[in-house]
């Protein structure tokens, strides 16, 4: 079980616009942190385990703790940079953005030591920060944020036929529908379902027509079908270019003048 994709961007008609990989800045800093923490354990710290009393720490211990703090600060800055660029890109380029209201802290509260790596990956991804950033950036750039309840079965629902697969586990990274025999990436399937639901909620249940056509999916023989039997060659999905510069004040850009926003009703 891994948390490789931080964001998967898809439209109601089944097109995957791209993905933003998880920064994994804390994971990359683990080796350095282990060295520093072991060094600090050998130095004179503020607690004496023999007498169980506090004491004045040594200069070396204080210096090591400062290096540990700088390592954590750098990991947080790298993570924040990726999140700011990705959320700014989405808020500027899409009129409607749909996200799940995930219980990020609850996802890490249980499991014990056997899912320690997954808990660290979820914490490193900072899922709650994404929704918080999108909340104010959509107001800055004039787009709309649609929040879907956490209990909506976006991953367990087939985006081609609408059937649910209740026995889908977290280890299943490919969604294989038992009814229409569609095989699709789990995250892409969930992103399409969320985009369609957000499009419906945004338009008051009428929809805009962008989600009425079945999405293109890969069948068991390796081809891509549109949900009605027709197939086409697999196209390469472009990667989202989240480049941009974030500032402390909003730069309001009218969506009907810049041309950077998607057409009205297109959800991500």
């Amino acid at each position: 079980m891994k948390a490789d994709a931080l964001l998967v961007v898809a439209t109601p008609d089944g097109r995957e616009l791209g993905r933003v990989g998880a920064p994994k800045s804390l994971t990359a800093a683990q080796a350095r942190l282990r060295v520093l923490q072991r060094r600090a354990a050998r130095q004179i710290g503020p607690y004496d385990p023999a007498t169980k009393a506090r004491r004045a720490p040594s200069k070396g211990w204080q210096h090591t703790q400062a290096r540990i703090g700088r390592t954590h600060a750098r990991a947080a800055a790298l993570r924040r940079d990726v999140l700011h660029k990705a959320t700014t890109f989405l808020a500027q380029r899409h009129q409607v953005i749909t996200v799940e209201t995930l219980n990020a802290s609850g996802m890490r509260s249980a499991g014990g030591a056997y899912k320690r790596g997954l808990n660290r990956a979820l914490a490193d991804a900072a899922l709650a920060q994404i929704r918080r950033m999108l909340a104010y950036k959509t107001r800055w750039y004039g787009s709309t944020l649609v929040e879907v309840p956490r209990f909506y079965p976006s991953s367990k629902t087939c985006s081609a036929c609408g059937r649910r697969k209740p026995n889908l586990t977290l280890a299943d990274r490919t969604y294989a529908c038992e009814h229409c025999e569609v095989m699709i990436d789990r995250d892409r399937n969930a992103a399409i379902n969320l985009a369609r639901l957000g499009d419906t909620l945004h338009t008051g249940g009428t929809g805009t027509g962008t989600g009425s056509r079945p999405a293109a999916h890969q069948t068991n023989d390796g081809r891509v079908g549109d949900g009605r039997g027709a197939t086409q060659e697999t196209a390469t999905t472009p990667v989202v270019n989240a480049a941009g510069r974030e500032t402390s004040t909003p730069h309001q850009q009218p969506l009907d003048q810049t041309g950077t926003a998607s057409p009205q009703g297109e959800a991500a």
Side-chain angles (χ1 to χ4, degrees):
M1 296 180 291
K2 299 181 292 183
D4 291 332
L6 180 66
L7 293 171
V8 179
V9 185
T11 57
D13 59 357
R15 291 181 294 121
E16 181 180 333
L17 302 183
R19 300 185 178 216
V20 178
K24 298 183 180 181
S25 56
L26 182 60
T27 303
Q30 283 300 308
R32 180 175 180 82
L33 287 174
R34 280 194 294 267
V35 172
L36 293 175
Q37 288 166 352
R38 289 172 182 173
R39 180 182 302 173
R42 296 190 298 266
Q43 295 171 334
I44 300 177
Y47 177 76
D48 188 357
T51 61
K52 297 182 179 180
R54 296 187 63 85
R55 62 186 178 186
S58 64
K59 294 292 184 180
W61 183 89
Q62 295 177 2
H63 179 69
T64 303
Q65 292 299 319
R67 295 182 64 182
I68 293 175
R70 288 195 297 269
T71 303
H72 278 290
R74 184 177 185 275
L78 292 174
R79 181 191 309 115
R80 189 165 52 249
D81 178 70
V82 172
L83 296 182
H84 271 302
K85 290 178 179 178
T87 52
T88 300
F89 178 88
L90 292 175
Q92 289 179 339
R93 299 296 182 90
H94 298 277
Q95 182 68 27
V96 181
I97 303 173
T98 307
V99 296
E100 283 184 296
T101 56
L102 297 175
N103 184 10
S105 59
M107 295 169 64
R108 308 190 306 268
S109 61
Y114 87 95
K115 61 187 293 282
R116 182 185 305 162
L118 179 61
N119 290 340
R120 183 185 295 118
L122 292 174
D124 197 9
L127 299 178
Q129 291 290 333
I130 298 175
R131 191 171 79 248
R132 183 188 66 82
M133 291 180 179
L134 286 174
Y136 67 81
K137 290 183 182 181
T138 49
R139 293 194 299 267
W140 283 3
Y141 299 108
S143 50
T144 302
L145 178 65
V146 178
E147 297 185 352
V148 176
R150 68 187 63 168
F151 299 108
Y152 174 69
S154 59
S155 298
K156 296 184 177 182
T157 303
C158 179
S159 57
C161 65
R163 299 292 185 91
R164 293 185 183 180
K165 188 176 182 179
N167 59 347
L168 185 70
T169 64
L170 189 59
D172 298 329
R173 306 314 303 171
T174 301
Y175 186 95
C177 183
E178 300 173 354
H179 298 277
C180 62
E181 298 184 352
V182 160
M183 296 186 65
I184 182 175
D185 178 77
R186 173 199 181 103
D187 296 331
R188 179 187 176 188
N189 179 70
I192 295 172
N193 289 328
L194 290 173
R196 289 175 179 170
L197 180 61
D199 185 42
T200 302
L201 295 176
H202 176 66
T203 56
T206 59
T208 61
T210 57
S212 59
R213 183 173 60 85
H217 302 292
Q218 185 176 0
T219 57
N220 291 329
D221 57 358
R223 296 179 297 171
V224 174
D226 62 357
R228 296 171 294 186
T231 59
Q232 59 185 6
E233 295 183 358
T234 305
T236 303
T237 302
V239 179
V240 172
N241 180 13
R245 184 175 61 183
E246 186 63 31
T247 59
S248 58
T249 57
H251 293 273
Q252 187 68 27
Q253 298 178 357
L255 297 178
D256 57 347
Q257 296 179 6
T258 61
T260 58
S262 300
Q264 175 69 27
E266 181 171 336

